[in-house]
Amino acid sequence: MSSYEWRAGGTVGRSVELRYRTMFAPISGDHYNETDLRRRPDKEGVDVPKLVIVESPAKAKTIAKVLGRGYRVKASMGHVRDLPRSQFGVDVEHRFQPKYITIRGKGPILAELRQAAHEAEKVYLATDPDREGEAISWHLAQVLNLPMDESNRIEFHEITPRAIKSALQSPRPLDFHLIDAQQARRVLDRLVGYKLSPLLWAKVRPGLSAGRVQSVAVRLVVDREQEIEAFKPEEYWSLTAALATAARGPQFEATLLEVDGKKVTIHQEEEAKALVNRLQGAAFTVTKVVRRERRRYPAPPFTTSTLQQEASRRLGFTARRTMSVAQQLYEGLELGSGGPVGLITYMRTDSTRIAPEAQAEAAEFISTTLGREYRPATPPHYRNRPGIQGAHEAIRPTLLHRRPEDVKEFLKRDQYRLYRLIWERFVASQMSPAVYDQVIVDIAADGCIFRATGMTQKFPGFTAIYEETREEADHTSTDTTNTTKQASTGDGNSPDSEAGSQADALALPAELAEVSETDSSSFKEKKTLPLLEEGQPLVLVRLKPEQHFTQPPPRYSEASLIKALEEKGIGRPSTYAPIIETIKSRGYVELIDKRFHPTELGRVVVNLLAQYFPDIVDVGFTAHMEEQLDEVEQGTQQWQDVVERFYEPFAQRLQQAQQLVAAVELTPEETDVICENCGRHMVIKHGRFGKFLACPGYPECRNTKPLLKEIGVACPRCGRPLVERRSRQGRLFYGCSGYPKCDFTSWERPVGRCPRCGQLLVVRRSSATASCSDPECGFRQPWPGSNGQTTTPVSETVPATATPSLSQPGSTSAPAAVGDHHPAQE
């Protein structure tokens, strides 16, 4: 019997097979001769290869190098089937049966895969090890007519010879619980998006979208802005004493902690002055000295969320950029003549688990490279949050001995920087804690207690390799009575602690615990104190009262918004980057100084959804939905039941909202640009190609203009200001504001004039150097102002020979290279 002929797998196997073939059968265009495809060539002496199907060509190339002869590796180029874009695609009346169609353009790919499957001895489905990857394998199994109970699914979390060969030795059938969970998510998102978005089009503005997860993310930003607007700062004062052991001895500072046995809170300047007067001439004496050793533990290895957060803080990467580069590192890159190599493990994970063999490799590496004292006695383990799959791993290098410096010459700049970050974080997570000597001194003066804290590093531990960064003002508390700095532990996740928790590694002894946050704010503040003993008198040098005001919670950055989504149980590792991109592209939020501000549109949409669809923007409800999807994955719930419980009340509210919601008129943003036709101030409008200027006198006056942002450099041809523009594809370029009279354009950002020849100085993508646009001049100079902020993202790079076209209001002119060169249109 051929390996592609149907083999009954018992009652359960056949029932599962029939259920999925019947419910989600391919539509017209996916039918083919099943008998032919199930029969492979049977020629004597012919070496029939096995077929491995993955998603991407890069991944296929790396795996093909590992497997060698006897295997063919093909790429499906991502999903091959999906719900139709032009139709609802879900049969609500029949248990939410989805209607899948072949994605446009995938016909030739499927034909090639069918032919390869027909010629193969066996087919292995090696898509990514998550819900989405399992769903892609299921779609492939259907269009290739593979038996649903056959063990042809393999998964691995790193693209290495060891992992791939191990997976091939233990294939398994498709996991329909994973498939169901992905289908439930896809159907839920379609129900919300295709039912709710038209309401927003009709009542607010065409082109808007609502999503089960994205709308909650916008609400977080809107709620934070409302907190900031409602915040009323409160005044408070601190009192610091500069002290010395002798009249000319070394000075140190102590902060007022208690007055007459009560913790001090100074609200007004008069209270501070009264305390200063009281303490003038008072005797300062050391009453308690506590010396102890403190340990600071490393942070866990990266998960998707923490990688995106740290890459944002340390490298300035967006979540989308981080995941794009991480995908490249995972799928494999060319390292010299050896062919492509996967550098990191799978980058979509919320687990902090590390495989025992990887921990053993790390222990050996640390002992050999740094010394035995840098290796803990037992390998550290970090507990996952509830609901995390223990089989998954954290993000780590596939081979620890492949140091970043060893592969730097083969990697692009972004690839090297992210690989180094992942490599250092993983090594540090397996190292011994840093050790500090801490001294806490209480000083009495006229019924007042001051406290001084000193700390010196005794052993660097993991900090010799890596220290986690912390975002400025990274707090969420709005407690206006808090007059002290929150103690920060930096990386403070100790082994066996929940990933992401901030264990207080600076906790004081029990007798001093009630005031532990007053004096010590960070491990990085390595203040030293002179040798002090109980009963020792001190000299007061001066008293320094300082005024402070409580601060509102900070606006979200990309990093802190991702952290909030993860902590609240909203979304999953694969969704964080798309969520961020969606709410930005829809105009619900805008980034100002790397912080999210809600737009008027974002506020309007959130308020409308909160009034008529409270569940859609409710954080708790959305997190509960994620928990139900997890239960579907675990097999404890049916996915149709989960969708039905959501849809019935949603459909009722939708019907009510269509009747009750009045059209919302957004306030147009007025500019100082005067309409030359009628003299009115033009306003900013939103069109298909983005923002543009329009006359508010429409329809009497139909004048429109592009919305231009000047860059502070004059056009070398006509002297008018150069401005930022966008192509039809949304790519950034620079052109003359006098277009179409002057058609000068440039892909590189002009920053001034060359001091040598007078031509334009331009800064190219991701460059810290400004260079002359005339190649014969060759002048170059450092340009720290670029920092990657004024150029097109790596994934959106435009070749120097490509030029977009312009024809729409609010669109932009076609760029040419600096000078007189006019490349072909894009």
Side-chain angles (χ1 to χ4, degrees):
M1 179 178 289
S2 168
S3 62
Y4 274 96
E5 293 178 353
W6 170 248
R7 295 191 298 273
T11 305
V12 175
R14 184 172 291 278
S15 65
V16 171
E17 158 77 8
L18 293 175
R19 174 165 66 96
Y20 275 84
R21 284 187 182 277
T22 304
M23 288 182 62
F24 312 113
I27 68 162
S28 177
D30 278 346
H31 291 295
Y32 41 83
N33 190 317
E34 297 183 357
T35 304
D36 290 345
L37 285 177
R38 289 177 182 175
R39 186 179 297 119
R40 64 174 175 81
D42 191 15
K43 298 179 182 179
E44 294 185 5
V46 176
D47 184 15
V48 182
K50 298 179 177 67
L51 175 64
V52 178
I53 303 178
V54 297
E55 297 100 326
S56 74
K59 188 175 176 182
K61 186 177 180 180
T62 307
I63 294 174
K65 174 203 168 187
V66 171
L67 295 179
R69 294 184 60 184
Y71 288 88
R72 297 177 68 187
V73 186
K74 294 283 187 178
S76 69
M77 307 301 291
H79 287 271
V80 294
R81 296 197 309 171
D82 196 7
L83 299 174
R85 297 186 64 180
S86 59
Q87 304 172 27
F88 183 42
V90 177
D91 189 346
V92 176
E93 302 299 326
H94 295 86
R95 296 283 285 166
F96 305 97
Q97 179 178 336
K99 176 186 177 182
Y100 293 114
I101 65 170
T102 300
I103 296 173
R104 180 176 296 179
K106 290 298 179 76
I109 295 173
L110 288 179
E112 183 179 348
L113 291 177
R114 286 170 181 152
Q115 181 63 32
H118 173 64
E119 298 171 353
E121 175 187 355
K122 184 174 178 61
V123 177
Y124 293 103
L125 304 173
T127 51
D128 287 342
D130 54 18
R131 293 175 186 170
E132 190 171 9
E134 199 75 14
I136 293 175
S137 284
W138 174 60
H139 286 298
L140 285 168
Q142 286 205 324
V143 298
L144 299 180
N145 197 37
L146 304 180
M148 292 295 171
D149 67 340
E150 183 173 284
S151 295
N152 56 10
R153 173 75 166 111
I154 62 173
E155 65 175 40
F156 37 81
H157 297 269
E158 57 183 85
I159 304 179
T160 60
R162 177 184 61 191
I164 295 170
K165 292 175 182 178
S166 174
L168 285 169
Q169 292 173 3
S170 54
R172 61 167 175 80
L174 289 169
D175 187 334
F176 289 107
H177 295 321
L178 283 172
I179 296 167
D180 285 347
Q182 178 63 22
Q183 286 200 117
R185 177 182 291 278
R186 190 73 186 91
V187 169
L188 282 170
D189 290 342
R190 176 56 62 100
L191 291 174
V192 174
Y194 274 57
K195 291 291 188 179
L196 196 50
S197 295
L199 177 68
L200 297 181
W201 301 348
K203 304 298 183 180
V204 182
R205 192 172 74 194
L208 299 182
S209 70
R212 186 179 54 86
V213 178
Q214 75 176 52
S215 298
V216 178
V218 178
R219 179 173 187 172
L220 291 177
V221 177
V222 171
D223 287 352
R224 177 58 56 86
E225 194 69 21
Q226 291 174 347
E227 289 181 56
I228 294 172
E229 292 169 351
F231 181 83
K232 295 182 180 179
E234 293 186 9
E235 178 184 9
Y236 69 94
W237 288 71
S238 64
L239 182 59
T240 303
L243 303 166
T245 55
R248 297 184 180 275
Q251 297 182 16
F252 65 96
E253 292 186 346
T255 303
L256 180 63
L257 194 66
E258 295 181 10
V259 176
D260 297 328
K262 297 181 180 179
K263 187 174 180 178
V264 67
T265 302
I266 307 173
H267 297 287
Q268 297 177 349
E269 182 179 7
E270 290 74 14
E271 299 176 38
K273 287 182 177 179
L275 285 169
V276 170
N277 293 333
R278 171 177 171 175
L279 292 167
Q280 293 291 350
F284 284 74
T285 306
V286 176
T287 58
K288 180 177 287 188
V289 178
V290 177
R291 293 183 176 90
R292 59 183 303 163
E293 185 178 87
R294 307 303 304 163
R295 294 179 180 271
R296 177 186 176 197
Y297 291 91
F302 281 130
T303 62
T304 302
S305 168
T306 55
L307 175 63
Q308 291 173 351
Q309 294 172 48
E310 188 72 347
S312 173
R313 293 190 292 254
R314 190 181 290 261
L315 306 180
F317 286 7
T318 62
R320 177 181 178 183
R321 185 176 174 186
T322 298
M323 296 309 293
S324 174
V325 177
Q327 183 90 27
Q328 298 163 19
L329 296 174
Y330 165 70
E331 291 182 341
L333 298 169
E334 297 279 352
L335 301 182
S337 59
V341 175
L343 296 180
I344 65 171
T345 55
Y346 191 53
M347 66 287 164
R348 294 186 182 93
T349 176
D350 46 12
S351 173
T352 57
R353 188 186 74 86
I354 296 296
E357 55 269 23
Q359 286 198 311
E361 180 190 12
E364 187 274 333
F365 176 86
I366 293 167
S367 296
T368 304
T369 307
L370 297 172
R372 181 62 183 82
E373 66 274 17
Y374 285 88
R375 168 186 167 183
T378 58
H381 294 276
Y382 302 92
R383 285 203 303 269
N384 287 316
R385 292 182 295 108
I388 303 304
Q389 288 193 352
H392 291 179
E393 266 201 84
I395 305 170
R396 61 169 175 82
T398 55
L399 181 63
L400 196 56
H401 289 274
R402 191 181 290 120
R403 306 185 192 201
E405 291 73 18
D406 299 336
V407 297
K408 183 177 182 180
E409 63 178 305
F410 305 110
L411 305 184
K412 296 179 181 178
R413 184 170 181 263
D414 282 359
Q415 293 169 347
Y416 167 72
R417 295 171 74 199
L418 192 66
Y419 178 65
R420 179 179 177 181
L421 188 67
I422 293 168
W423 188 92
E424 291 179 346
R425 172 78 164 228
F426 172 67
V427 174
S429 74
Q430 303 302 301
M431 292 175 63
S432 300
V435 182
Y436 297 82
D437 283 332
Q438 184 185 45
V439 180
I440 303 168
V441 180
D442 280 4
I443 302 160
D446 192 19
C448 300
I449 299 296
F450 287 77
R451 174 164 293 166
T453 303
M455 184 163 54
T456 57
Q457 191 178 75
K458 183 178 179 181
F459 173 65
F462 74 93
T463 63
I465 293 290
Y466 171 88
E467 288 192 67
E468 186 183 30
T469 58
R470 289 183 64 79
E471 190 168 338
E472 184 180 357
D474 185 11
H475 65 277
T476 57
S477 173
T478 58
D479 182 4
T480 57
T481 65
N482 181 13
T483 62
T484 64
K485 292 184 178 180
Q486 177 69 33
S488 168
T489 62
D491 297 339
N493 292 11
S494 59
D496 294 325
S497 66
E498 179 177 335
S501 67
Q502 295 298 323
D504 185 8
L506 264 182
L508 296 176
E511 63 272 17
L512 300 177
E514 70 276 9
V515 288
S516 62
E517 297 177 356
T518 302
D519 297 315
S520 182
S521 61
S522 172
F523 275 104
K524 294 183 179 180
E525 295 181 12
K526 297 165 185 171
K527 297 183 295 182
T528 58
L529 299 178
L531 185 62
L532 300 171
E533 301 294 341
E534 293 185 9
Q536 180 178 356
L538 299 173
V539 176
L540 175 64
V541 179
R542 63 184 176 278
L543 291 168
K544 297 188 297 183
E546 291 184 276
Q547 184 186 38
H548 309 275
F549 291 93
T550 53
Q551 297 297 313
R555 293 181 176 90
Y556 287 109
S557 65
E558 275 208 14
S560 59
L561 182 57
I562 290 171
K563 182 178 180 181
L565 292 173
E566 182 188 40
E567 289 178 344
K568 297 177 185 298
I570 300 169
R572 283 299 179 263
S574 61
T575 65
Y576 299 136
I579 290 170
I580 297 294
E581 290 302 315
T582 299
I583 65 176
K584 288 194 296 185
S585 64
R586 297 298 182 186
Y588 296 142
V589 300
E590 56 185 349
L591 272 175
I592 302 175
D593 295 329
K594 297 185 179 181
R595 296 282 175 169
F596 283 117
H597 294 245
T599 61
E600 181 191 11
L601 177 63
R603 291 176 186 259
V604 167
V605 170
V606 165
N607 291 338
L608 187 151
L609 295 178
Q611 181 177 358
Y612 293 97
F613 304 92
D615 289 347
I616 297 296
V617 290
D618 181 72
V619 173
F621 178 82
T622 305
H624 180 61
M625 286 297 300
E626 295 291 353
E627 293 172 359
Q628 292 186 75
L629 293 177
D630 290 341
E631 291 173 2
V632 173
E633 180 176 333
Q634 295 158 11
T636 58
Q637 284 211 55
Q638 291 291 322
W639 76 267
Q640 293 98 334
D641 295 339
V642 171
V643 175
E644 186 174 20
R645 286 195 297 270
F646 167 83
Y647 183 71
E648 288 183 354
F650 171 73
Q652 294 175 3
R653 293 192 186 100
L654 182 65
Q655 187 176 9
Q656 295 172 357
Q658 289 171 338
Q659 300 172 356
L660 299 177
V661 176
V664 178
E665 186 67 31
L666 295 174
T667 305
E669 183 180 349
E670 189 176 276
T671 70
D672 56 1
V673 179
I674 303 298
C675 175
E676 57 268 28
N677 294 345
C678 65
R680 296 183 177 92
H681 284 272
M682 303 190 80
V683 296
I684 296 176
K685 292 283 188 177
H686 296 260
R688 180 181 176 186
F689 298 99
K691 296 180 181 179
F692 65 97
L693 292 175
C695 181
Y698 180 88
E700 292 82 7
C701 180
R702 297 173 177 266
N703 186 26
T704 61
K705 291 182 178 182
L707 180 62
L708 306 177
K709 179 181 178 181
E710 296 183 6
I711 62 173
V713 179
C715 174
R717 293 184 185 170
C718 67
R720 294 185 181 92
L722 292 178
V723 295
E724 289 184 358
R725 294 184 181 275
R726 295 269 177 188
S727 71
R728 288 184 178 180
Q729 290 74 22
R731 294 163 176 168
L732 182 68
F733 67 95
Y734 306 91
C736 181
S737 58
Y739 178 85
K741 293 181 179 180
C742 177
D743 62 355
F744 172 85
T745 53
S746 170
W747 286 119
E748 290 83 27
R749 180 184 177 92
V751 294
R753 292 283 185 172
C754 174
R756 182 180 296 171
C757 68
Q759 297 294 323
L760 278 182
L761 276 180
V762 295
V763 175
R764 292 177 172 83
R765 176 181 55 86
S766 300
S767 173
T769 302
S771 56
C772 182
S773 58
D774 184 355
E776 295 183 0
C777 173
F779 176 81
R780 295 166 63 87
Q781 71 180 30
W783 190 259
S786 64
N787 196 27
Q789 297 177 9
T790 61
T791 54
T792 309
V794 175
S795 60
E796 300 177 0
T797 307
V798 183
T801 58
T803 299
S805 59
L806 163 73
S807 60
Q808 311 295 338
S811 181
T812 49
S813 61
V818 173
D820 296 325
H821 175 62
H822 293 270
Q825 286 191 341
E826 188 176 59

